Amino acid sequence: MEAPEDGEEDEREALKRHLRAERQKRKKRLLEQSSIQKSRDADDVKDVTSIQQYSADEGPSEKADDSVVLSKSRTGSQKGLTSRTQHTHHLDDFVKRRLEEKLKAARSKGESLQDKEASLEFPSRLHSLRDRDTVTRFDREADADRAGRRDSPPPLSTRVRFREAARQVGKGLPTAEEAFNFFTLNFDPDPPDVIETSSRRRQKQRKTTDEDEEHEDVDEDIQEENETQSEEAPLVQTQEDLFVIDQSPQDFLEIRKAEYVGYQKLLQLQSELLFTPSFRTVPTSIKLPENMKPRYLEDEGLYVGERPPVSLTNENILENRILKMEEGKKWFGDDGRIIALPNPIKESSTRPPLFHMEEALDPALQTVYRKAVKSKYANLYIAGAADPEGDYQLDVDVSGLIFSHHPLFSREHILGARLAQMYDQYLTRQRNNLTGHLTDKLNGLRNALRNMLESHSGLNPTQALQQRISEYNLEVRNTRHLRDSEQEKDRTLLKNIVKVWKEIKALREFQKFTNTPYKLYLRRENVDRVSDEQDYEDEILAEVVELEAETEEEYQNKLAEYKKRLEEWKLCRKKQKAKKKKQKKKKKGQAQDDTEGEDEEQDVSESEGPTDEPPPKPEPPERPDLGSIEQWVREKALRIRRKPGEAILIPELSASANITASELCPRAEKARREDVARRSLFTKILYNDKEVSRTDSRSLNTDFRVHFGQIFNLKIVNCPQSISLQVFEEIGSSCSLLAQVFLPVPEPSVVTGSVPLEEFEFSSNQRVMFDHEGVGSDVPLSFEADGSNKQSLLTSGKVSCCVSWGIGDDDVPLAPPISQQPGGVHSGKGHLDAVSYIGASGLYDMKKIGEWAKQSRLDPNDPKNASIMQLLKVASSGEVTAPEYFRLEHLQEEFNFVTDEELEKSGRFRLLKLRNQEVAEFRNYKFIPALEREVTDTVFQEYEKRLKEGEVIDTKEHLDSHRALVAKYLQKIRESVINRFLLAKHHYLLSDLVTEEEIPTIGILGINLFKLAEPKRPLKPQRKERKKVTAQNLSDGDIKLLVNIIRAYDIPVRRLQSNKPGQSSHSALQGSIGLPDQIQVRPFVEVSFQRTVLQTATADGPNPCWNEELQLPFSAPNGDYSTASLQSVKDEVFINIFDEVVHETVMNDKNRGKSIQTHIEKRWLGSVKIPFSTIYSQSKIDGTFKVNTPAVLLGYSKEKSHFTNSGFDILRSLSEGTFITLFITVDPQLVPGESVREKIKEMKFDTQEDERLLQASERFERDAAQRYPDRPCITTVIDLSGKTVFITRYIRPLSPPKELLDEFPNNPLEATPLVARFVSLIPSLPDQVSFSATCDLWSTCDQFLTLLAGDEEEHAVLLCNYFLSLGKKAWLIIGTAIPEGPTAYVLTLEQNLYLIWNPCSGQFYGQYDTFCPLQAVGCLVNADNVWFNIQQYTSPMRVSFDITKANLWKPFFSRTFSHPGLSSIQPEELVYRRTDRAAAAELQDRIERILKEKIMEWRPRQPTRWNRYCTTTLKQFLPKLELIRGQDVAEGHRHELQSLLGDYRISGFPLNLVFSEIRPIIEAVYSTGIHSVQASNVEFALAVYVHPYPNNVMSVWIYLASLVLT
Amino acid sequence: MAELHIIGQIIGASGFPEKTLFCKWGIHTGEAWRLLSGLKEGQTQVDSPQIGDIAYWSHPIDLHYATKGLQGWPKIHLEVWHQDSFGRCQLYGYGFLGDDFDEKEGGRETEKQSEILLTAARHLNSAQFTCSCVIQRIMRHVYRAVNIHTSI
């Protein structure tokens, strides 16, 4: 009801504020104008202000005399107003009058209305006044008043309108219209009740709105306005004036009390705003939905919990309130009550009862007050950590830990750890090289000093110079002291290292086992003794000189001082003496003049006080003993320096020693090791003292190193304060803390990946003791024998780990900004001085750095300053001048770190390069040392020698200059061929790289199943195919050579010497004499290969059967098992057949009776040699070979078959000689190097052949290979210059040497064997060996004869050509033979009989010869054509050699592709050099001499006697043997010999060899084992005969015999 | 003296218009580098894949260099050729694996596989092949920078 009024009041307030603002504005303007105005209306203003002040001051305080105040103010205002009117009298009268009239009319009208309404209005007004008063003063009437007031609502419309007017007034200057409206319109249409008090009210309103002072302001304002506006607005002014005049002062001024809202009213107001629920019980019907009866669950038998007790009033209030709310009813249950949970309060107390409240409370339960602790790090959040981008990550990398001492260390471990530590120290010292750098500095200083002295030697040294010299001297002295101490440290360290190592060795020796893998090597670096001594002496001399100078100087100083003091002393003495005299005088005079004397005496005593005690006489300084200085220096040098000439010792510690296995250790040690094995370690990572992570548990190793290798990424929010690791040791399930290691918090720049692991030391002082070998911790122990020098070691070690800031995905380090880092400081300690000196910004200023460096006297030699010095050097050198040349690689020279020469000098690089170039000496090098110093110069010696002596012919090795030349030539060819093929080797075929195992098929499975049913040991076992092994993954010892010696035929038997004519009476020579039926030979086989010699058991008879397998180890040259390397193995397998002869000598001892001594003697019967390369390429050799038996075997004879009944013997009788059946293979089976030919095909050699021919030949060969893969077929070959040549070009009739033909002038056919022999005497050199498995090269006949070396092909071609020239029908057979493998033979047709010639041995075989080594015939070649064998069989015995039959032999040139008329590449005629008999004789002598020396050399224990007589006899036989070409002449020969040497038991044989080099001859002699005769009375005979053939072909005969005098 | 081992392989190529491809490669270095061992150029076999698009060569590269300076770090160049059914060869693309061939994290043995885009070298019918000539090749190399004893 009162709200409107309140609203009005509010509006009033707003208005007030508005007006006040307006007033302020006006006031300002007023102030501006006031200066003009002041003079005029000073009084007015004064009055007004006084009133103002009055009202302001008195108004509120003196409410009692309200009336007085009012009256006063009114009077004041009236006065003011009147005065104002005076000013306005000059206004337009007309307007004034009009307005006055109008106003009067209006007023009269209003007055009448007012009067009418007065009765009605008055109470209201009164009330309003009284209302204000009642609050303050008339409290008693308040209620009545209020009641009455309620009844009379204020006239709203009037007020509003008035207010509008007032507002318009407030807006400032009203316009004339507004002013008019203001004063006129308001009053006319108002309803009477409104108008009644309009004027009064208006006044009052104005008063209320405009506060007292304000009112005046307005008035003033208007007044002023009127003044300034002059005539423009007279109406308003007058009107206002009039109006103002009419009003009483009360209308303008109202003094009101501060507004106070009474309590009642407040309550009323509150009741308007607040809702107070009643506390009356709410009827149930309201609470429930309509038409529902309350339902009591409890009554229905359901359990309802006890409701918590709530007072009824509260419940009611709550219910009432809830009901007022929307959906209030949902809060009520079915029973009409508020839904409530059961009472939560428990029946009984659940807390432990606290009995005995104060006194005897269990201390555990005692409440303890603790002050709230603020977490230390709680607030240290990193700024920006809250946002997801700002997460920081610390990476803690725990790599591992190493114990430098652990309780489980054994004594050896302690020493080992000490050694390792010292070695580390040594290494760091070496790296820093302080000694070297100090020595350099010292030398530098000395030089500088010397230069200075020299340059100023003539002049008088100035003061500054002297100063500098003394400075230098000081510097020299200091540096020398430093250097000496460093040297001493180095020396001691080295000594200690050696000492500890010796201790370890002694300990290991003593305890008989090894626990640590440490091994110390002392590398000796030899020094030049002379220069070293010189240096040493110089050094000592320099030091002595300096020391002398120093001591001299010191002495001089002392002397000077002494002199000074002496002077002083003397002075003193004088004084004293004088004094004494004086005193004496005085004493005399004292008696006379006492007072004066007294006075004086006092004076004197004062002055003499100090001199009373005479100063001690200064001692003159001793002259230093300069002689002793040198001695001292020498002693010192001896102590701290290496002796001159002594090798520099460089210790090298390695962990390569073997640790003794636990089984071999004593019990205590075993227990220790077991204990070690039980332990395991882990570390916890603590971040800000909180465990954040832990590593896995790792077991402790025997070397006490634990590797964790774990990286922990810590996402952090708090500032890192501390990061630490705790090392725990676990034994079984219990674990104990060993130590804690604190890690530094990394700087923000330390980012993962860029920091190395650091080692942090830790230690713990736990005391641990063991009853086993472990030494424990904190337990005193001693290494001395007497137990002295005890020391106790604490568990300690190093953790290697690193802490760094992580890196985000975008390579942004996840580190907080630096400002966050507490205590983040510079790490560059080295530059700290510089920084403090010139400031951080100055670091970029070169000049400043330079100044600083100059001032702080940086040592340019100090490695720490290297970077600064470098910088300064660059800076000081000024700008880089532009070079006047152009370089392709800019700044190359400047950035080189080695020179070309150094690079060239490096042995390692050279070795690597040579290996890569496959230079013969280094081709098979497997490992090249990683360190330069491990490459010794000796490696290159051989190579360099070869390079140097490339052209010098070594006659010693070859005995023949021609052959030496040939050897060189061959070597050159080989080199060139190798270079040619080097590239070819890098071309790989699919089969080189991919080995596909066959997938077993059903068929194979079936066969395997059948195999189960096979007999376990079949009667005739078949050799099974073995798996092939590629050679590259083999190593030494993996490969074995298996030699299966099966049987031999026709071994010569001993000749019974007793049957011989002229035999002396000595009958009991051999055991088998008496019984002719007895076995006449006891042969065994000895196989030697690569220095291994194995032999079979001894068998009996001339046809023995051994059936024995021998395994010989094989090692490849330089351990290189590559195919190429294996192919070039030159070793041969020697299979020698010996006869075991047993001699029994009867010793007749007079005292003891008879004793029989048995000598076993072996006698060589024959040999077979098979090159390894053949075995390798064939993968197995199986067959019967002819044994090379000497032409004559003294004491033996071929046993003519006694049993001629078997068919075999018939066949055998055709061929003479001994045979042996062998099976040789390599285990495991190696993949033979594929035929080189294939590769050559790939190579596409240069050729001069027609393309069509080549294609045809390729096709021909391909067809042949497809249809008969095992039959060799060759149509094109490669000549020595590496060109492909068609094979038929090699065949051309060439005449043999004339000498050979001259021997048989009548019958040229007779010369055939001689020609064959001549060819066979040319040394054979397998291509595979000579050309290192690269390829088969065919040389032409003239090349062959010049080289005097070649393989079967060359021999065969030559032989074939000779035969053709002799008018025979001859062909080249390309086939396979044993043991050569693929080879070439010669076929001749003689009188319808085909003969097969072996060109290398000169032997010929009939087509049906059983023992013909040729096994398969592939193709036949002559000058016109090549025929390929397309018959069913390949064996020569079953092959028809009728080449005209096209169904048996497929010709290369046929009708479709006729022979294009290929010219031969052979020369038209061979030129032979004549035989040089003198050279042969010389060679013969040399061979004989060498062999004799060798035999004596092989018999180092026994004397070797030569039987000259026998030798000369044998020498006579040899030419005869050559003449008959080694045919069986044994019978006569032996007889002759026997007659000559009656009393000797002779065994011997002639050897016929092809001469190529001396080495094979020696080998052959050695393999016969003739030197191994042990009998004491043995004598030897050796005869050599060299038979020369044309063209320097030599046949060498060596007759060897051993003679035992019987 | 420093040594560098370049060990790796050329795995194969894909994305060429034809699948029957082979590759010629070579390594180029500056003047300061000396080849100690290994072949510095070569050619792979021809692979015509029956299945899949990648022609696999798996061609090994193994070189050992010594150097007196660090300039002229090795670069590898590759040419991819196509061999048609008549045995004629045609250059399909070429490219250089330049300085990123060297390893940023020197000293650490790393393995990475990088693809390089080869520039198309076909002049015929360039319009026809513009889109198909975006060629990618996979090259793989493992480096080991051992024994870098920089004795400065």
Side-chain angles (χ1 to χ4, degrees), chain A residues 678-878:
Chain A
R678 269 207 302 280
R679 312 231 167 181
S680 53
L681 288 152
F682 66 90
T683 54
K684 280 182 186 173
I685 292 124
L686 280 78
Y687 178 78
N688 286 354
D689 293 339
K690 277 183 212 152
E691 180 186 337
V692 289
S693 197
R694 63 168 76 182
T695 62
D696 296 339
S697 181
R698 298 280 155 90
S699 58
L700 189 62
N701 288 337
T702 47
D703 56 356
F704 293 95
R705 283 160 195 259
V706 183
H707 178 76
F708 295 113
Q710 282 180 295
I711 300 175
F712 300 93
N713 302 327
L714 311 181
K715 289 261 178 197
I716 59 166
V717 178
N718 287 342
C719 266
Q721 295 292 319
S722 76
I723 305 163
S724 62
L725 297 178
Q726 285 183 336
V727 183
F728 283 87
E729 195 174 46
E730 256 182 339
I731 314 160
S733 57
S734 67
C735 67
S736 59
L737 175 66
L738 269 187
Q740 188 161 15
V741 191
F742 287 94
L743 311 179
V745 176
E747 287 173 54
S749 60
V750 176
V751 176
T752 307
S754 66
V755 270
L757 286 172
E758 281 181 85
E759 292 193 326
F760 298 95
E761 293 193 352
F762 65 85
S763 72
S764 99
N765 50 4
Q766 277 174 325
R767 194 187 182 94
V768 191
M769 280 174 93
F770 294 110
D771 51 356
H772 51 70
E773 280 286 292
V775 291
S777 178
D778 202 10
V779 176
L781 85 157
S782 159
F783 282 98
E784 307 291 324
D786 53 354
S788 63
N789 195 10
K790 288 204 176 195
Q791 53 197 143
S792 41
L793 294 159
L794 294 176
T795 306
S796 57
K798 281 183 215 161
V799 180
S800 73
C801 58
C802 79
V803 186
S804 53
W805 293 101
I807 298 179
D809 294 331
D810 41 358
D811 287 348
V812 175
L814 300 172
I818 187 141
S819 57
Q820 288 290 316
Q821 272 310 106
V825 284
H826 287 277
S827 64
K829 285 168 200 148
H831 302 289
L832 217 57
D833 293 341
V835 170
S836 60
Y837 180 75
I838 46 176
S841 59
L843 282 179
Y844 300 100
D845 191 346
M846 285 297 164
K847 275 181 194 162
K848 278 189 181 173
I849 289 186
E851 271 171 36
W852 167 73
K854 219 175 267 171
Q855 289 200 8
S856 59
R857 271 198 227 163
L858 275 188
D859 183 354
N861 290 329
D862 194 335
K864 280 177 205 155
N865 300 334
S867 53
I868 284 188
M869 293 323 284
Q870 180 75 19
L871 197 69
L872 287 175
K873 210 166 147 194
V874 171
S876 60
S877 65

Side-chain angles (χ1 to χ4, degrees), chain A residues 281-323:
Chain A
T281 318
V282 185
T284 323
S285 55
I286 301 174
K287 292 189 275 189
L288 288 171
E290 278 170 53
N291 304 326
M292 233 181 95
K293 280 191 174 175
R295 191 174 146 216
Y296 297 101
L297 291 171
E298 212 166 0
D299 294 350
E300 289 170 23
L302 293 172
Y303 171 74
V304 175
E306 196 196 331
R307 302 169 72 96
V310 181
S311 75
L312 189 68
T313 327
N314 282 348
E315 201 177 332
N316 285 341
I317 289 171
L318 185 65
E319 283 178 356
N320 274 321
R321 186 173 70 74
I322 286 172
L323 276 173

